[in-house]
Amino acid sequence: MTAAAFDPELDLLFERVVPTPRHLVWRAWTEPETLIKWFCPRPWETVSCDIDLRPGGRFATVMRSPEGVEVAGANCYLLVEPERRLVWTSALTPGFRPHAQPTSDADFVFTADLTLGQEAGGTLYRAHLMHATAKDRQRHEDLGFQDGWGAALDQLVEAMAGQL
């Protein structure tokens, strides 16, 4: 599977080099007990995670706000290239079954393509999120995409620092 071209009308991109080895970034994304430590920006917390790491497998999380509101996300892996690339989508459920249509204006469908490149002293971390419509892309950006993914990545680096 080749990477999709970036479309500024529909896509968001987050890219940074981190001082964490690629194999540890991979572990942070693929081990539920590690992912819950960093996945959403504080003061939110991830309270559950289910990972079936294979194409067609389930990637699901539940995040909780400081007020106790829970937000669940259920996704399907499309591509798993160990220590290099993860692609998942909210448009499908496990087994590549179509997902029900969004239930509110706050919901949107996206596909995430996370690539991890080897860098001197760390990892090139690149998240390319593709949306079905420009409205969905804007909604995701307005929710704080850049700041949220940046804070979560900082937390990932912090969580994995003890593994070096």
Side-chain angles (χ1 to χ4, degrees):
M1 177 179 200
T2 59
F6 181 79
D7 180 340
E9 301 269 329
L10 301 173
D11 301 348
L12 294 168
L13 184 64
F14 178 85
E15 189 173 88
R16 186 188 301 166
V17 175
V18 294
T20 307
R22 187 168 62 175
H23 74 278
L24 292 180
V25 175
W26 180 261
R27 279 187 45 209
W29 269 100
T30 59
E31 295 177 355
E33 63 278 3
T34 303
L35 186 135
I36 63 171
K37 295 176 184 177
W38 67 267
F39 187 67
C40 60
R42 294 179 193 110
W44 283 64
E45 62 181 331
T46 304
V47 295
S48 74
C49 176
D50 182 24
I51 292 176
D52 178 9
L53 193 61
R54 61 182 177 81
R58 178 177 167 84
F59 172 42
T61 58
V62 177
M63 298 179 286
R64 184 180 298 142
S65 76
E67 298 78 30
V69 175
E70 292 190 351
V71 177
N75 304 276
C76 177
Y77 287 113
L78 302 174
L79 180 72
V80 177
E81 293 179 3
E83 296 188 18
R84 297 185 186 282
R85 191 169 173 210
L86 280 176
V87 180
W88 68 93
T89 186
S90 63
L92 300 171
T93 63
F96 304 110
R97 295 274 178 197
H99 198 278
Q101 294 298 314
T103 56
S104 74
D105 286 340
D107 291 340
F108 52 87
V109 174
F110 68 93
T111 297
D113 187 345
L114 178 71
T115 56
L116 306 175
Q118 194 69 44
E119 286 285 324
T123 301
L124 173 60
Y125 183 99
R126 183 178 192 270
H128 176 191
L129 274 72
M130 298 164 272
H131 302 82
T133 68
K135 181 180 174 183
D136 287 348
R137 179 214 173 273
Q138 189 62 52
R139 185 176 305 126
H140 201 173
E141 185 171 45
D142 291 348
L143 284 170
F145 170 77
Q146 291 292 331
D147 290 342
W149 277 70
L153 182 58
D154 290 343
Q155 292 167 187
L156 180 156
V157 169
E158 176 185 303
M160 300 313 285
Q163 306 295 312
L164 296 175

